[in-house]
Amino acid sequence: MRCQTTQVQKELVDTVVDALQEGGFVFLQGDVFEVVVDMRQKFAEHPDLEDTLFSKDELSEWIYDEDIDETRVDRWLPENPLQVPTDRERLVISEGSPVYRCLLEKKPKKSS
C-alpha cells in the first residue's frame, strides 16, 4: 500500500540540500514504512543527493515496484549512524518493530 499524501514537499528538500555542505548527509528514519519510502524518494530525486545504498536507477526501480517488500532489511541501514536513538526509536525497537533508516549524501559539484 502506497502513502496517499506526501509528507515531504520539494521546497523542503531544496531548502535542506541548499543548506547542506558538499559531502554532508541527510539522515531519514521512521517506523511507518510508506512514509519513510516517500521521504527517501523525495530526497533521492534531488540531483545533488545520492543514496548511500543505491544508485538512482536502482532506488527508482525498487520504489516503483508494485510488490515493494518492507521486510527487505538490505534496503535500509541496520543501525542509527548517529548512535543516539530517539525515544520513538527505542520504543519501536523495544516492541520488536522495525525502524527504517537511510542516508543520502550531497555530491560535490563537478568542476567545469
Side-chain angles (χ1 to χ4, degrees), residues 40-101:
R40 187 179 197 176
Q41 175 186 3
K42 297 296 185 235
F43 276 93
E45 287 172 353
H46 195 285
D48 293 342
L49 287 180
E50 190 170 89
D51 193 287
T52 60
L53 295 176
F54 296 103
S55 71
K56 286 197 186 290
D57 289 341
E58 291 170 325
L59 186 63
S60 181
E61 182 179 310
W62 175 66
I63 285 175
Y64 291 110
D65 183 352
E66 288 301 316
D67 297 322
I68 192 167
D69 183 359
E70 64 187 89
T71 63
R72 292 282 308 268
V73 295
D74 62 326
R75 307 288 187 200
W76 305 100
L77 296 174
E79 301 287 330
N80 180 334
L82 304 177
Q83 300 179 343
V84 180
T86 64
D87 291 341
R88 176 72 185 177
E89 183 179 5
R90 281 195 298 269
L91 174 68
V92 169
I93 291 169
S94 74
E95 293 174 343
S97 297
V99 176
Y100 305 101
R101 304 174 188 93

Side-chain angles (χ1 to χ4, degrees), residues 13-14 16-18 20-21 23-26 28 39-40 42-52 54-56 59 103-108:
V13 172
D14 290 342
V16 169
V17 174
D18 288 346
L20 196 61
Q21 293 182 349
F25 292 93
V26 174
L28 303 173
M39 289 190 306
R40 187 179 197 176
K42 297 296 185 235
F43 276 93
E45 287 172 353
H46 195 285
D48 293 342
L49 287 180
E50 190 170 89
D51 193 287
T52 60
F54 296 103
S55 71
K56 286 197 186 290
L59 186 63
L103 206 56
L104 298 104
E105 182 177 8
K106 186 170 183 179
K107 301 182 290 190

